[in-house]
Amino acid sequence: MSGFKNPTLLSAAELQESEIRFLLSVAENLRTFVENDTIPPLLKGFTIAQLFFENSTRTRLSFEQAIRKLGGQVMHFSTSGSSVAKGESLVDTALNLKALGANAFTLRHGASGASQFLFNQVKLPVINAGDGQNEHPTQALLDALTLEETLGPLNGKKVLILGDITHSRVARSNIQVLSKLGAQVSLCGPGSMVSPLYRNWKVRIFDRPEEVLPSMDAVILLRVQKERHGQSLIPSLSEYARFWGLNSDRLKLLKPDAAILHPGPVNRGVELTTAVLKDSRSQIERQVENGVLVRMAVLAAACRLELLENWLQKEGFYV
Ligand code: CP
C-alpha cells in the first residue's frame, strides 16, 4: 500500500517517487503528534544500534531523538573506545551488537557502499546515515521536506546545488530525490569540484553562481570537504569564498522568496557568510528540526511498516 518495499534505506537512487512521497507524507503527518507530545510508540520493543564510524552531530543526534520519540531504545556505538581500534571489522561489530539485542542499525561509514554491504551480511534493517562519497538519503529527504514546506510542491521548481559536488554524498542523494519529485536541478562549483560524470545526469551545470542564482527557487550550499580531497582542488579557501561563496552581494541576486539550505556543518566565511545565516530566506535550522521527523518516518517504515500503516489508517491519513 505504501509502496515502501525494503526493511532498509540504503540509497535515494533505489527509492521510487511513490516511496519518497510516502516518507515525506509520514514525516509531515507526524509533525502535529510531535508538537502535541502524542507520538505513537511505533518502535516500542525495538533496539537500534547507531554505528557511526565517522563524526556526526546532526544525523546521529536526530536519529537518537527519532528513536526515543517513537519509544525505541538506542544502542550507542562509536569507533573511539570500541574494539574497532583493536581491528574488529564492521560485520563482526554489527553481529556482536545484534547478539546484545540490536534489531536494526543506522550506519555512517567512510566507505561508499558500506550500508549495502552490511545489510547483505546481517539481514536486519539498515539505514544509511552517510556512506563515503556515495549517498546520504535521509539528508536528501529532510531537504525535500524543508523545500516543500517553504516552496510548495517541487514539480518544476529550480534548485541549485552550489559547492563541492564531487565529494558530496548529499549532492548525489539530493539530485536523486529532487529530480524524482520533478524539480529541475542545476550544479555549480569550481571545475575541480564538479565531476564531468555529472554531465550524464539529468542536471544543468554552471561555472559561476552569478549566471544562475537569479532564476533559482532554492540554493543548497555544500561544505568544502577538505578531508576528502587527496590534493588541493582550489588555490585557497579565500578564493573559493570570493568566487563561489554565498555572501551579501550574491544574496541580492536571489529571489525574495527563495530558500537557502545547507546540510551542515557550515564553514562560516567559506561557502557562506554570517549574513546568509541571518537572512530570512535561510532554512538551515529548519532543516535540522525536520531531520528528526524524516528519520522518525524512515525508521518506522523500515522497521515497523505494518504498525505504521495501521496507525496511518486509524488516524485517517491513508490515501
Ligand atoms: N548534515 C550532516 O550529515 O551533518 P552531520 O555530519 O553533523 O551529521
Side-chain angles (χ1 to χ4, degrees):
M1 298 197 308
S2 63
F4 200 84
K5 291 185 292 294
N6 301 314
T8 60
L9 179 55
L10 303 175
S11 69
E14 74 184 0
L15 285 176
Q16 305 293 317
E17 180 194 337
S18 61
E19 294 175 295
I20 295 169
R21 292 198 187 281
F22 173 74
L23 291 170
L24 295 181
S25 144
V26 171
E28 197 50 63
N29 288 333
L30 281 167
R31 192 185 296 280
T32 319
F33 291 81
V34 169
E35 284 165 3
N36 296 337
D37 204 11
T38 52
I39 309 165
L42 298 172
L43 291 182
K44 191 160 179 260
F46 228 75
T47 299
I48 294 158
Q50 295 242 72
L51 278 170
F52 276 67
F53 288 76
E54 281 190 335
N55 295 338
S56 169
T57 298
R58 283 146 289 269
T59 311
R60 186 172 59 80
L61 293 177
S62 59
F63 266 119
E64 186 169 324
Q65 292 249 37
I67 296 164
R68 290 192 202 288
K69 283 180 190 294
L70 288 170
Q73 290 209 329
V74 181
M75 189 182 282
H76 288 287
F77 169 87
S78 68
T79 44
S80 67
S82 79
S83 288
V84 168
K86 299 179 213 163
E88 193 160 39
S89 71
L90 168 61
V91 170
D92 288 339
T93 300
L95 290 174
N96 278 282
L97 297 188
K98 182 179 173 186
L100 287 168
N103 308 112
F105 299 96
T106 59
L107 176 64
R108 171 165 289 192
H109 201 284
S112 297
S115 296
Q116 178 74 63
F117 172 72
L118 183 65
F119 177 64
N120 292 345
Q121 302 302 317
V122 298
K123 304 289 183 206
L124 287 179
V126 175
I127 314 295
N128 183 356
D131 63 329
Q133 294 176 24
N134 183 36
E135 282 236 26
H136 193 349
T138 58
Q139 179 70 46
L141 289 167
L142 76 89
D143 289 349
L145 185 68
T146 308
L147 287 173
E148 283 200 332
E149 232 190 324
T150 319
L151 305 174
L154 295 183
N155 193 27
K157 294 288 188 308
K158 293 182 177 166
V159 182
L160 175 68
I161 305 180
L162 172 59
D164 186 358
I165 315 280
T166 298
H167 300 95
S168 175
R169 53 197 177 203
V170 174
R172 291 168 75 88
S173 292
N174 259 322
I175 294 169
Q176 289 286 344
V177 167
L178 297 175
S179 301
K180 286 172 189 174
L181 293 175
Q184 294 173 26
V185 181
S186 299
L187 309 179
C188 178
S192 56
M193 292 183 181
V194 185
S195 164
L197 291 175
Y198 280 109
R199 297 195 188 281
N200 301 326
W201 291 44
K202 235 178 72 183
V203 293
R204 298 172 74 203
I205 299 181
F206 296 87
D207 292 326
R208 304 287 302 118
E210 285 75 8
E211 288 178 76
V212 65
L213 281 174
S215 60
M216 290 295 116
D217 297 301
V219 54
I220 300 176
L221 304 169
L222 297 177
R223 186 171 65 88
V224 175
Q225 301 199 33
K226 282 185 292 179
E227 74 277 18
R228 299 195 202 279
H229 299 173
Q231 57 187 27
S232 183
L233 296 178
I234 40 168
S236 68
L237 290 179
S238 64
E239 271 163 316
Y240 179 90
R242 201 168 131 219
F243 288 95
W244 288 279
L246 194 58
N247 53 27
S248 301
D249 286 339
R250 293 198 179 103
L251 272 179
K252 291 182 197 143
L253 300 175
L254 269 178
K255 291 180 183 175
D257 54 355
I260 302 167
L261 276 67
H262 189 307
V266 303
N267 292 314
R268 278 185 204 232
V270 181
E271 63 266 6
L272 51 65
T273 59
T274 299
V276 176
L277 292 168
K278 289 187 176 161
D279 193 278
S280 60
R281 291 166 288 187
S282 168
Q283 302 298 326
I284 296 172
E285 284 181 19
R286 192 62 172 168
Q287 286 173 271
V288 180
E289 290 169 24
N290 283 338
V292 179
L293 294 174
V294 156
R295 289 174 176 126
M296 289 170 77
V298 167
L299 286 162
C303 302
R304 286 279 171 82
L305 183 60
E306 203 179 323
L307 266 186
L308 172 63
E309 289 182 335
N310 290 342
W311 175 75
L312 290 167
Q313 208 158 30
K314 182 167 86 61
E315 294 296 338
F317 287 133
Y318 224 41
V319 284

